[in-house]
Amino acid sequence: MVGRYDTPRLRLEPIEPAHAVELWRLHADEPVAIWWLGRLRLPQAQAVADEMAAGWARDGVHKWIAYDRVSGELVGRGGLSYQHVDGARRLEIGWIVRARYWGRGYATEIGRAGLEVGFGELGADEIVAFTEPDNLRSRAVMERLGMRDPRPIRHHGEHFVLYTLPRP
Ligand SMILES: CC(C)(COP(=O)(O)OP(=O)(O)OC[C@H]1O[C@@H](n2cnc3c(N)ncnc32)[C@H](O)[C@@H]1OP(=O)(O)O)[C@@H](O)C(=O)NCCC(=O)NCCS
């Protein structure tokens, strides 16, 4: 099990059922809600938190919730999870950051932590990330992390672009 992880600025904790309210707060952020799942009602946030906690128990890894190490403020969430993407079970990495913290490199910092764990402890041969084609901020994070070869995919019937990073 991967577990908690500290980056230079963030405390990353495995999401558990008790984080439902934090997820609800994160997804209530309007610029976040535009891109991802929309606003969540509290029972939906609870379902997401429960599903992620189950993912940690089942796969030994799933998304982290991210707090500022100094202030303790909620910054976002992200990290690794095994997902069925483009016809195969793949190790996927993602990030969501509260809008007030955009433009400071926090998503990239979460991403770097995920790559380190994925290629280190988990021994992955490749890590993928995907987003809506017009989500340029998320694509920029992928590119900053060295992810390459974007290609169009369908996921749950929607159009996305998939980036891949092979084991360095
Ligand atoms: C996608 C998302 C996480 C990206 O956030 P972000 O703040 O743009 O990304 P980063 O945290 O990597 O920050 C990069 C920016 O900070 C700057 N920066 C400052 N310090 C930095 C550092 N130490 N390292 C990297 N970048 C840094 C970069 O120059 C860049 O600035 P720019 O946007 O003016 O080019 C954010 O837009 C978001 O939460 N969107 C809604 C949810 C979402 O769509 N998630 C993705 C689903 S696939």
Side-chain angles (χ1 to χ4, degrees):
M1 172 121 163
V2 171
R4 185 186 147 150
Y5 195 95
D6 283 346
T7 70
R9 293 178 295 173
L10 299 172
R11 191 177 83 237
L12 303 176
E13 294 182 2
I15 291 182
E16 45 183 71
H19 288 120
V21 175
E22 305 284 58
L23 291 180
W24 173 80
R25 278 178 69 205
L26 179 59
H27 288 270
D29 209 18
E30 189 61 36
V32 168
I34 288 169
W35 287 109
W36 198 248
L37 295 173
R39 284 172 186 275
L40 296 181
R41 293 170 192 274
L42 197 49
Q44 292 172 301
Q46 187 66 65
V48 172
D50 292 349
E51 189 187 313
M52 290 180 172
W56 276 101
R58 184 185 60 239
D59 298 332
V61 72
H62 213 285
K63 303 305 185 198
W64 290 299
I65 194 127
Y67 298 101
D68 183 300
R69 279 175 65 172
V70 176
S71 68
E73 271 288 302
L74 173 68
V75 172
R77 75 161 173 89
L80 301 162
S81 60
Y82 289 100
Q83 289 195 35
H84 198 80
V85 186
D86 195 32
R89 184 175 186 260
R90 302 175 195 273
L91 190 58
E92 178 266 354
I93 190 164
W95 30 74
I96 298 177
V97 171
R98 293 171 81 189
R100 71 182 68 178
Y101 294 116
W102 288 11
R104 300 198 212 170
Y106 285 120
T108 302
E109 196 162 313
I110 294 170
R112 284 210 189 92
L115 297 183
E116 204 169 302
V117 166
F119 290 126
E121 215 166 324
L122 297 177
D125 289 327
E126 68 166 30
I127 296 176
V128 302
F130 64 100
T131 191
E132 297 92 338
D134 58 345
N135 192 339
L136 300 184
R137 293 194 82 99
S138 190
R139 293 183 69 159
V141 179
M142 294 168 197
E143 284 159 17
R144 264 193 295 280
L145 291 172
M147 306 190 91
R148 295 283 172 265
D149 303 325
R151 59 188 165 91
I153 59 160
R154 297 292 284 261
H155 189 68
H156 298 313
E158 305 288 332
H159 292 277
F160 288 91
V161 58
L162 180 80
Y163 283 73
T164 305
L165 185 63
R167 187 178 185 76

